[in-house]
Amino acid sequence: MITKDDINFDGDMEGRILIDGTFEIPETFFNTDFYIPRGYEVKDRCVKEIRLDENDNPVLNAVGIPIGYQICDSACMITGRSLGLDDNERYLKVTFHDGRNWLHYWIKQKEIFTKKGIFEHLVSQGFVTDEKDAARVTKYFRKCYTVNDASNTLVQGIVASSNGWKHDNTCFVFGTRMICESGVDKEVFLTDSSLEEKLSAKGTVEEWVAGNKRLLAFPKPRFVCYAAMTAPLLEPLNVSSFLVDSTGGSSTGKTTEDDAAISQIGNPKALKHKGESTVASVEENAKMFSGLPLYYDETTNTSEKTAQNIIYTIANETEKGRARKDGGLRETKSWKCVGLTTGEKSLINYAGNTGQYARVITLKGGIGQSGIKDIVDESKATNVNNYGHIIEPFLRKVFKHKAELNVWFREYKSQFEVMDNDINNRLIDYFAAIAVAGKLLEEVYQEIGIEPVNHLEIVNQIYEEVVLNNPIKDQAIVALERVYDWMSSHSGHFINEMSIADIRTWVTVSDKAPDIVYGWYGNPKGIMHIDFNKSELDKFLEREGFNPSYVIDYWKNYGILTVGSIKDRKTGQPKDDPSGARNVSHYIKNQSKKTPQRVISIQEEKFKQVLELTDSDIIERIGRKSVW
């Protein structure tokens, strides 16, 4: 790579008149082997397009200076070429001086030869030209490429637009390095040069160990570190992308444990993304960081929609199809990532699809230890200036044990207790992959001076806490629990049409009759049930973060509701109301007779059956044997 030290300005690049009256312009780009095309002069702060005569010699003015036109205020040259690893596109390396430093950018050849490409990729980075002269710059670059390509002076580089596995999983790109199965590492240039700093190493591994080993003695931070390093294993193990969501109140250490995990691969501050992100930005990050962990901090104030976007964008592993300007769809890119998120509330929201549960491991309560402020502060201070030292030795372990990875994965997968819930069981793949990462990471930890622990004990402890002790329920069942509690704690808003002797008088005279009715208790045909006011029930479900349509449809399909009937318009025969609602007449305040109400009907026995409630459960929950 050309650096500032490789290219030295001459100081006086104005040229000189020789004895025979001709003018000599330097043919090479300062002290390098790159040729300046005929008809151009490169000075320390500009490029000039020189007027040539019929003999292809510079035309001089009255004092012997070449007559020319300044096309830009930045010394620049095409210095390299490459065929992109990810897209098979031709890339050219542009080197220019921004007045302070030499900068180097790999840009698609088809873009650098356009005015738009000059502004998008160079002017935005400090290259100086204007709209009028940009076309002249593209012409200069074309000639630079032609003369240096013919002279074989262009540096042959390796350009990648993303990290992760390449060449049929025989190489792994990480920042500026490509670690290969052959044992020969290669230098790589990322199209987004900002990643070089984000994924670089700083400080020393000894300082990182000293500042983090006390934190890593606790199970949850160690587990999160395992999870972060699982990202490179997803591809060879054929495991889907997933997220680990650390939730809990402030000062519980959740951000510190995630920072420590991310510091294993690079700068945790630079690699931290905002919780409020668009689908497009999440897609771009996922593509760029394929094979690596993707970190979103403080999702507490993230909208429900954005939270769902983060989950499904990472987990779906493919960007949305988008149209090209010339018609058709752009080629879609894919990724494999482990998402790390933190927030005071869970990233999962009940209004989302149930499938989100199968994509997120939720860790509650932060580190889960009290009185460790000094340990947390030590880790925070350390990771500001010491990071990026674990990923390379970890990847070398991956290549060393590549043939054994799937054997370990199958072995670990068989050790986790299977449940009678498909969603819970889908999480087993993630935990098995995390166990494989833990095995490799413990080898690295031992070599750098961190006391090793049994990785399976760590992973099993978290599996028991997250899955076995908190089995995932469908959101509709959780909603039913919330509705039962709501009914129990707001009894004043429910009218018991069974226990009030003169219900007609009571609703018209009593000041205890509710202005807003949530529902009615009754026992038609001797079957005790409650009719929920559908509009109020919908409002409650929405406030609690549920999707009312999904919940009621689930209740209907699983026989929890007593479904009403409507007349089929074609046959005239009765059929189940697809909304799950019924039209039932009930009393309301200030009405001396029953009026039709749109209700959702649930029998008392259904609550007991679905929620597995006993009489003692009911008494403990609501302080009486029955809501009726």
Side-chain angles (χ1 to χ4, degrees), residues 190-224:
L190 288 169
T191 52
D192 184 349
S193 59
S194 68
L195 291 184
E196 293 183 20
E197 180 182 353
K198 293 176 181 178
L199 296 173
S200 63
K202 183 179 180 181
T204 67
V205 67
E206 291 78 14
E207 286 293 324
W208 187 87
V209 169
N212 287 287
K213 64 182 179 181
R214 291 200 297 163
L215 180 74
L216 295 180
F218 298 109
K220 282 187 180 177
R222 200 136 181 155
F223 178 84
V224 175

Side-chain angles (χ1 to χ4, degrees), residues 135-146:
R136 292 176 181 266
V137 175
T138 65
K139 179 182 176 183
Y140 166 70
F141 280 149
R142 287 198 306 273
K143 292 190 173 184
C144 286
Y145 171 70
T146 300

Side-chain angles (χ1 to χ4, degrees), residues 254-268:
K254 57 188 182 296
T255 296
T256 301
E257 67 184 9
D258 277 34
D259 278 358
I262 291 296
S263 73
Q264 297 179 116
I265 71 164
N267 185 341

Side-chain angles (χ1 to χ4, degrees), residues 25 36-41 47-50 139-140 143:
I25 297 176
I36 300 171
R38 185 72 173 169
Y40 291 90
E41 179 184 10
V47 175
K48 284 186 176 181
E49 186 178 303
I50 303 301
K139 179 182 176 183
Y140 166 70
K143 292 190 173 184

Side-chain angles (χ1 to χ4, degrees), residues 20-277:
D20 60 5
T22 63
F23 187 86
E24 181 183 270
I25 297 176
E27 293 184 348
T28 60
F29 189 64
F30 300 107
N31 63 322
T32 69
D33 293 330
F34 303 112
Y35 288 101
I36 300 171
R38 185 72 173 169
Y40 291 90
E41 179 184 10
V42 181
K43 301 173 64 176
D44 55 0
R45 293 294 184 271
C46 70
V47 175
K48 284 186 176 181
E49 186 178 303
I50 303 301
R51 186 187 301 174
L52 302 177
D53 60 21
E54 64 275 10
N55 297 315
D56 212 25
N57 291 317
V59 176
L60 308 181
N61 62 15
V63 294
I65 303 298
I67 297 173
Y69 181 86
Q70 186 165 314
I71 64 174
C72 64
D73 296 341
S74 301
C76 55
M77 174 56 64
I78 299 295
T79 57
R81 65 181 175 187
S82 173
L83 199 62
L85 270 178
D86 300 304
D87 52 18
N88 216 34
E89 293 266 12
R90 292 182 180 275
Y91 284 82
L92 296 181
K93 184 181 181 184
V94 179
T95 297
F96 72 91
H97 200 274
D98 69 350
R100 296 176 298 278
N101 301 297
W102 285 105
L103 303 176
H104 314 276
Y105 292 95
W106 287 89
I107 303 168
K108 289 181 180 179
Q109 178 175 313
K110 64 184 181 182
E111 294 177 1
I112 199 58
F113 292 159
T114 67
K115 292 168 61 175
K116 181 181 178 182
I118 296 294
F119 276 86
E120 283 188 359
H121 300 290
L122 294 181
V123 173
S124 61
Q125 301 298 329
F127 186 88
V128 182
T129 191
D130 57 26
E131 183 73 28
K132 178 169 60 74
D133 295 330
R136 292 176 181 266
V137 175
T138 65
K139 179 182 176 183
Y140 166 70
F141 280 149
R142 287 198 306 273
K143 292 190 173 184
C144 286
Y145 171 70
T146 300
V147 66
N148 286 287
D149 184 51
S151 304
N152 203 29
T153 54
L154 296 177
V155 174
Q156 185 67 43
I158 301 175
V159 174
S161 56
S162 66
N163 294 281
W165 290 98
K166 314 291 179 185
H167 294 317
D168 295 326
N169 294 350
T170 60
C171 300
F172 191 96
V173 169
F174 172 76
T176 59
R177 290 156 286 175
M178 184 162 71
I179 298 176
C180 299
E181 203 171 80
S182 63
V184 179
D185 294 355
K186 299 178 181 179
E187 185 179 25
V188 173
F189 304 99
L190 288 169
T191 52
D192 184 349
S193 59
S194 68
L195 291 184
E196 293 183 20
E197 180 182 353
K198 293 176 181 178
L199 296 173
S200 63
K202 183 179 180 181
T204 67
V205 67
E206 291 78 14
E207 286 293 324
W208 187 87
V209 169
N212 287 287
K213 64 182 179 181
R214 291 200 297 163
L215 180 74
L216 295 180
F218 298 109
K220 282 187 180 177
R222 200 136 181 155
F223 178 84
V224 175
C225 285
Y226 291 176
M229 303 309 285
T230 304
L233 299 177
L234 297 180
E235 185 73 34
L237 295 179
N238 194 27
V239 173
S240 300
S241 299
F242 64 93
L243 296 89
V244 176
D245 182 30
S246 298
T247 70
S250 59
S251 303
T252 56
K254 57 188 182 296
T255 296
T256 301
E257 67 184 9
D258 277 34
D259 278 358
I262 291 296
S263 73
Q264 297 179 116
I265 71 164
N267 185 341
K269 182 178 180 181
L271 291 170
K272 190 180 299 185
H273 303 288
K274 294 181 179 179
E276 193 64 38
S277 301

